[in-house]
Amino acid sequence: MSDSVPEAVIYSGHPSWRSMLDFHLAGLLAAAAGGAIARLATKNWGLAIAVFAGILALSVLIGFIRRVATHYTITDRRLHIRRGILSRTEQHTTIDRVQNVETRQSLLERVLRIGTVDFDTAGTDDSQFSFEGVATPKQVVAAVDRAQQLTPRSDPLSRG
């Protein structure tokens, strides 16, 4: 297959907002603490509410940016993970190197309907390759299966 042929995107997504509930809960608690401290320090309800709202808004914004800064893609040729906005980390592997696909869900993740999909790839024991916090782990597994069916496997014995 030539590199000039465009890749067909089979799955594209971000971690679910539900995967960041712990972060948002911590932001809510920090906002409540900030508001309480502002109220105790100044005896001014207006300032306390403003501090609470400001910290909560900042928490929501940071959570949103963290979520959209992670992007997962499955094409007919490769798996791709991109993380970051200002600094960027990217992981790639070809679809024919994927040997095993495993989904993990804790009890809380099952309740939230999110999960992690781990990929075991040939010859890469040193790096973790997983789509974390996805809302549809079964769809990700199905997308990998479709991609593998579309990609012809090379037979190592036929090389010569």
Side-chain angles (χ1 to χ4, degrees), residues 12 26 81 139 144:
S12 179
I81 301 172
Q139 278 185 343
V144 171

Side-chain angles (χ1 to χ4, degrees), residues 1-9 75-78:
M1 189 180 279
S2 169
D3 284 338
S4 64
V5 176
E7 296 181 45
V9 175
T75 71
D76 58 347
R77 287 191 264 172
R78 70 185 87 233

Side-chain angles (χ1 to χ4, degrees), residues 81-95:
I81 301 172
R82 185 183 72 226
R83 292 183 179 93
I85 293 176
L86 299 177
S87 64
R88 181 159 287 166
T89 302
E90 295 193 30
Q91 285 180 281
H92 303 264
T93 192
T94 56
I95 202 74

